[in-house]
Amino acid sequence: MKVTIVPCLSDNYAYLLSCGDGSALVVDPSEAAPVVSALEREGLRLVGILATHHHHDHVGGIEDLLAKYGKMPVFAHESDEGRVPGQTEKVKEGSKAEAGGLTFEPLHVPGHTTGAVSYFGHGAVFTGDTLFVAGCGRLFEGTPEMMYTSLCEKLAKLPGDTKVYCGHEYTASNLRFSLYAEPENAAAKDKQTRVLAMRERGEPTVPSTIAEEIATNPFLRVTEAALRERFPGETAANVLGAVRKAKDNFKG
Ligand code: ZN
Ligand code: FE
């Protein structure tokens, strides 16, 4: 699978996915114009849309793409029916999302929203606003317990070399918080050095990998002693809630 990163809006990423037969899927088209340009540049024909959740900065381009290219499958969680424009396919845990010669397993990962889905397949996972590089989405519709299950019991259990493609370029500021939460985390320090150089060169910091996230992302590290001491909680989910609250108020 070839993945083309398509920067949208101020800090969003959409992704074109192609298996090499000239067709492509797009993940989270927040706006149509950059997606259309990328399709033309790559010589690809759009045949399907994967939506990770209903927020406008992830689905805002769907209607324009459908108007331009005609009917095609639009995948989103079954509970997001009515919230994702043009949705034709209702995915859920255990179902499949298949189009353009590619097949993905949708993981239902509530927390940021109740209908959040990550699409796993071909050695990659598209996480929208659930798992960011070195961070996670705000808990708009879900609880810390939901986010704990989504991040630590589902996404963190994927193979370590799975490439992580998320919905926003928040990595540099996320890593400032990672190092506030866990000042002695050498892997996070090392990642920060690499990320700052990449941003200096104007490069995206995606993809990360699940193994790198387990090493550097405080939200995947809530069972580590250093984090539990700083953010006490009875359960790992409580710790995650405390870390999330600290991040919400972090002015680093
Ligand atoms: Zn969102
Ligand atoms: Fe977003």
Side-chain angles (χ1 to χ4, degrees):
M1 174 175 73
K2 184 181 177 202
V3 179
T4 304
I5 301 170
V6 185
C8 293
L9 304 175
S10 60
D11 54 27
N12 278 80
Y13 290 129
Y15 300 101
L16 293 186
L17 317 181
S18 63
C19 72
D21 68 354
S23 67
L25 307 181
V26 65
V27 181
D28 282 2
S30 27
E31 48 177 350
V35 174
V36 171
S37 307
L39 286 163
E40 288 173 357
R41 199 174 57 237
E42 302 284 322
L44 293 168
R45 182 172 39 90
L46 189 66
V47 300
I49 298 173
L50 302 174
T52 62
H53 66 296
H54 73 281
H55 285 159
H56 192 73
D57 63 313
H58 298 259
V59 302
I62 293 179
E63 278 173 328
D64 287 349
L65 290 171
L66 294 176
K68 184 170 171 75
Y69 297 115
K71 269 195 191 144
M72 66 183 79
V74 177
F75 297 87
H77 193 254
E78 58 180 0
S79 70
D80 266 346
E81 200 179 11
R83 304 208 291 183
V84 172
Q87 180 176 2
T88 61
E89 314 298 317
K90 297 179 227 171
V91 305
K92 59 180 178 188
E93 192 85 16
S95 72
K96 292 240 180 308
E98 283 187 272
L102 298 167
T103 304
F104 294 92
E105 271 173 51
L107 306 172
H108 184 213
V109 285
H112 177 63
T113 64
T114 50
V117 172
S118 290
Y119 295 94
F120 171 61
H122 308 275
V125 65
F126 298 88
T127 56
D129 291 355
T130 299
L131 174 63
F132 291 129
V133 180
C136 76
R138 284 176 190 262
L139 299 176
F140 285 128
E141 298 175 5
T143 62
E145 286 72 21
M146 284 177 185
M147 196 54 131
Y148 174 76
T149 303
S150 298
L151 291 176
C152 299
E153 290 178 355
K154 289 190 183 172
L155 291 166
K157 298 282 160 68
L158 296 175
D161 61 356
T162 305
K163 293 188 167 107
V164 176
Y165 292 92
C166 62
H168 291 267
E169 182 58 64
Y170 290 159
T171 309
S173 84
N174 283 346
L175 281 167
R176 281 198 292 279
F177 179 77
S178 298
L179 287 166
Y180 160 79
E182 237 187 328
E184 302 304 323
N185 185 331
K189 266 184 215 163
D190 175 63
K191 178 135 186 170
Q192 186 180 49
T193 306
R194 283 181 287 133
V195 158
L196 291 176
M198 289 167 98
R199 296 308 294 150
E200 193 99 330
R201 296 193 295 267
E203 294 168 12
T205 63
V206 284
S208 180
T209 64
I210 291 293
E212 262 187 53
E213 291 313 301
I214 289 172
T216 59
N217 188 326
F219 297 96
L220 297 190
R221 298 175 57 76
V222 292
T223 54
E224 294 287 322
L227 268 162
R228 302 200 71 137
E229 255 166 54
R230 193 160 177 138
F231 304 94
E234 266 176 28
T235 64
N238 293 154
V239 176
L240 187 145
V243 177
R244 184 60 259 178
K245 196 165 275 171
K247 175 86 165 64
D248 291 344
N249 299 318
F250 185 63
K251 302 271 189 288

